[in-house]
Amino acid sequence: MAYTETDIRDIVAAQRRFFRSGTTLPIKWRIRQLKHLKAAVLAHEEEFEDALAEDLGRSRVEAYLCDIGPIITEVNEMISGLRRWARPELHFSGLMCFPSLITKVYKMPYGVSLVISPFNFPILLTIGVVAAAMAGGNTVVIKSSSKSAASTATLKRFFAETFPPEYVTLIDGGHDVADMCLAQRFDKIFYTGSPSVGKHVLAEAAKNLTPVALELGGETGNWCVVRKDADLKDAARKIAFFKLTNAGQICININQIAIAKEVADKFLEELKAAFVKQIGNQAENNLEYPKLITDAAYEKCAKLADEYRSRVIFGGTGNPQTRKYAPTIIYPVDINEHIVKHELFCPLLPVVSFKDADVDNLMDTIADREHPLAMYLFTKNMRWANRVMQTQQYGGGCINEVCIHMMVKGVPFNGTGHSGMGAYHGEWGFREFTHPQTVLKGSTIFNLSLREHPYGGETGKKKMWLLRLFER
């Protein structure tokens, strides 16, 4: 279906009418919808896996590990926690408000929300965000990626079968359709994608002063720092697994490695061995290995690898027909080269070396660049690692691990600056799609004249004395 501005305006208007009917407000009703969503995901599991295989070449195991399973976990957390999260907060109003002693903070939905989802995890990063919006009591218009066409088509059927369009509906199409959506007045926008498009989304949202959450990859990529005291075999094994996942097309994936010079050669041999053990010598011929999303993405990856061909020490091969490009280690790379100053979103893995004694200078250089979405440290020096994690600015990360901070219940996910704004997952997603409304319950008896005129003379002095007393 080719959408027009009128079509989209009518969809938004229908959702606004539905929201204003108050149907989405009761917590019991929201929980029923979340249970319905979970049941529908389980019923369509094979369809989602088939779509992910067509779009990204993902195996069923990887599709379930990275998309289906996390959705079920996320929705289960919402179902069990929503009553507690949505409970109004009760506050003592304070002596200054006497005799009005009770104030409540209600967690209210924004209203009609727009969710713009990406191609790399088209199922997870659509349904997961929609679930958060539903938990918050909002209606949802979804604009999914045209690059992941099979997943978008499957999602469109899925939502049409599961919910009425005035509650949740998916709009497909290209950038022109996304811009038509952004031209409408939504009450909340959630965008996942690149920083460059994130700026555009934010600029369009500003025209209506619409609050926005951005989940971005980070302009200069996510660093993985491996110090000389690290368990090199363990680090290599985990890094190889992560870089193979979705062929590197993950917003929190390792963009570049910084390795201590003292152990660089040993680590790189361990990393090569880990890649071979997990995917074989020719990843591009392995049926389990994912592919890049488009021909343009493949060509961009291959062109950059060719630019650094003389420093490719592992991989560097691909199959343009299948769009699979092998995990590729590029070494040595200077920290100021352009390949480590932008997000790659592909299987290329540039490696920078540093003297272990100069690690704090390295961290200063990283801190001077745009804030990454993730940071990973491998070291036995927990004092140093804890200090770094508490002083650097980034979205989230791990010490001696990769990516699984995403799987922890009850914690927020997102970045800061060029890696995003806002946060979601579990209760944090509920908070992102609600706004707090403070309501004081006034009293009609025993009201004092403290706040009223006159303020001069002896009366004023007495009022001042009482004000200073109350405000201590």
Side-chain angles (χ1 to χ4, degrees):
M1 173 182 177
Y3 290 93
T4 65
E5 290 184 15
T6 301
D7 294 329
I8 296 173
R9 185 166 56 249
D10 289 346
I11 289 169
V12 175
Q15 289 210 355
R16 196 170 302 284
R17 287 193 298 271
F18 183 72
F19 175 74
R20 286 178 176 168
S21 73
T23 304
T24 69
L25 297 183
I27 303 306
K28 286 184 179 180
W29 188 87
R30 298 187 213 176
I31 291 174
R32 284 201 303 271
Q33 306 316 305
L34 289 169
K35 288 179 177 178
H36 187 40
L37 177 66
K38 174 186 171 181
V41 169
L42 291 172
H44 289 77
E45 179 183 327
E46 287 191 10
E47 293 175 51
F48 289 146
E49 291 170 354
D50 290 341
L52 290 167
E54 184 175 340
D55 287 329
L56 291 154
R58 302 250 290 273
S59 68
R60 291 196 181 276
V61 172
E62 186 169 321
Y64 192 88
L65 174 68
C66 297
D67 276 76
I68 312 301
I71 290 171
I72 300 305
T73 301
E74 182 90 351
V75 175
N76 282 340
E77 184 180 356
M78 292 176 182
I79 292 170
S80 63
L82 185 55
R83 284 187 178 86
R84 184 176 69 256
W85 305 340
R87 189 178 300 135
E89 296 177 13
L90 190 64
H91 294 264
F92 171 56
S93 303
L95 292 175
M96 284 292 293
C97 300
F98 182 85
S100 303
L101 301 179
I102 303 300
T103 295
K104 289 186 177 182
V105 178
Y106 297 96
K107 289 72 176 286
M108 295 297 295
Y110 280 103
V112 183
S113 60
L114 172 65
V115 172
I116 305 176
S117 58
F119 72 81
N120 59 328
F121 289 92
I123 308 301
L124 171 65
L125 297 181
T126 299
I127 299 178
V129 180
V130 168
M134 291 169 56
N138 303 272
T139 67
V140 193
V141 175
I142 306 152
K143 169 58 185 76
S144 57
S145 176
S146 59
K147 293 180 180 179
S148 48
S151 295
T152 290
T154 302
L155 284 165
K156 188 169 186 177
R157 291 193 301 272
F158 168 81
F159 284 114
E161 294 171 9
T162 309
F163 300 111
E166 63 269 23
Y167 180 38
V168 180
T169 193
L170 186 145
I171 295 172
D172 52 11
H175 296 305
D176 58 330
V177 177
D179 280 340
M180 284 191 284
C181 289
L182 289 170
Q184 303 302 312
R185 183 177 68 82
F186 284 92
D187 301 305
K188 177 74 176 183
I189 296 174
F190 193 110
Y191 167 76
T192 304
S194 69
S196 59
V197 179
K199 293 176 184 177
H200 173 66
V201 171
L202 200 58
E204 292 301 301
K207 294 176 182 178
N208 290 309
L209 295 178
T210 303
V212 177
L214 302 176
E215 199 260 272
L216 311 174
E219 193 78 21
T220 50
N222 307 313
W223 282 88
C224 175
V225 179
V226 183
R227 296 198 63 181
K228 70 177 183 180
D229 65 345
D231 184 325
L232 301 182
K233 190 178 188 70
D234 178 72
R237 175 184 178 184
K238 291 169 178 173
I239 292 168
F241 146 73
F242 196 23
K243 198 65 181 179
L244 290 171
T245 305
N246 213 31
Q249 299 167 107
I250 306 177
C251 56
I252 60 167
N253 213 325
I254 295 166
N255 202 68
Q256 55 267 317
I257 297 173
I259 177 69
K261 283 183 179 179
E262 295 87 339
V263 293
D265 291 342
K266 184 178 179 181
F267 169 76
L268 291 169
E269 290 307 310
E270 292 284 4
L271 185 57
K272 293 177 194 175
F275 276 130
V276 172
K277 182 177 181 180
Q278 293 182 39
I279 206 71
N281 280 308
Q282 292 183 309
E284 66 270 28
N285 296 325
N286 191 310
L287 295 177
E288 291 184 359
Y289 184 55
K291 61 185 177 183
L292 294 169
I293 187 65
T294 61
D295 290 340
Y298 178 91
E299 291 163 7
K300 182 179 179 182
C301 173
K303 182 179 179 181
L304 190 56
D306 286 341
E307 182 181 341
Y308 285 84
R309 179 63 56 185
S310 63
R311 286 179 273 173
V312 170
I313 63 171
F314 180 83
T317 56
N319 184 334
Q321 278 70 47
T322 61
R323 301 202 305 270
K324 294 189 177 187
Y325 203 91
T328 299
I329 305 172
I330 301 172
Y331 178 81
V333 176
D334 186 83
I335 198 169
N336 291 312
E337 291 189 58
H338 74 92
I339 194 172
V340 293
K341 296 179 82 172
H342 69 274
E343 186 183 23
L344 299 174
F345 225 65
C346 70
L348 303 187
L349 191 53
V351 181
V352 172
S353 65
F354 66 95
K355 291 182 180 178
D356 196 73
D358 295 334
V359 67
D360 288 336
N361 292 332
L362 168 74
M363 301 314 299
D364 286 342
T365 300
I366 293 172
D368 284 340
R369 296 179 180 177
E370 301 298 348
H371 305 324
L373 184 57
M375 181 172 291
Y376 305 103
L377 307 178
F378 285 88
T379 179
K380 292 185 177 69
N381 187 339
M382 289 299 105
R383 184 177 180 181
W384 174 82
N386 289 330
R387 175 171 60 82
V388 167
M389 287 302 203
Q390 293 176 56
T391 55
Q392 292 275 0
Q393 290 178 289
Y394 55 96
C398 302
I399 300 171
N400 294 323
E401 250 304 350
V402 293
C403 79
I404 59 173
H405 63 291
M406 288 275 293
M407 301 180 184
V408 180
K409 288 185 178 182
V411 299
F413 170 71
N414 208 359
T416 177
H418 277 66
S419 58
M421 61 178 64
Y424 74 120
H425 285 189
E427 183 177 3
W428 295 85
F430 169 81
R431 294 182 188 179
E432 188 62 51
F433 280 94
T434 56
H435 62 100
Q437 292 183 181
T438 299
V439 177
L440 179 143
K441 184 180 290 187
S443 172
T444 58
I445 59 174
F446 304 122
N447 284 285
L448 303 179
S449 60
L450 179 62
R451 61 187 174 185
E452 301 165 3
H453 287 278
Y455 294 153
E458 289 300 317
T459 300
K461 290 179 182 179
K462 290 177 182 178
K463 289 182 177 181
M464 182 62 78
W465 180 83
L466 286 171
L467 287 170
R468 293 186 185 279
L469 179 66
F470 289 160
E471 291 178 348
R472 287 181 178 177

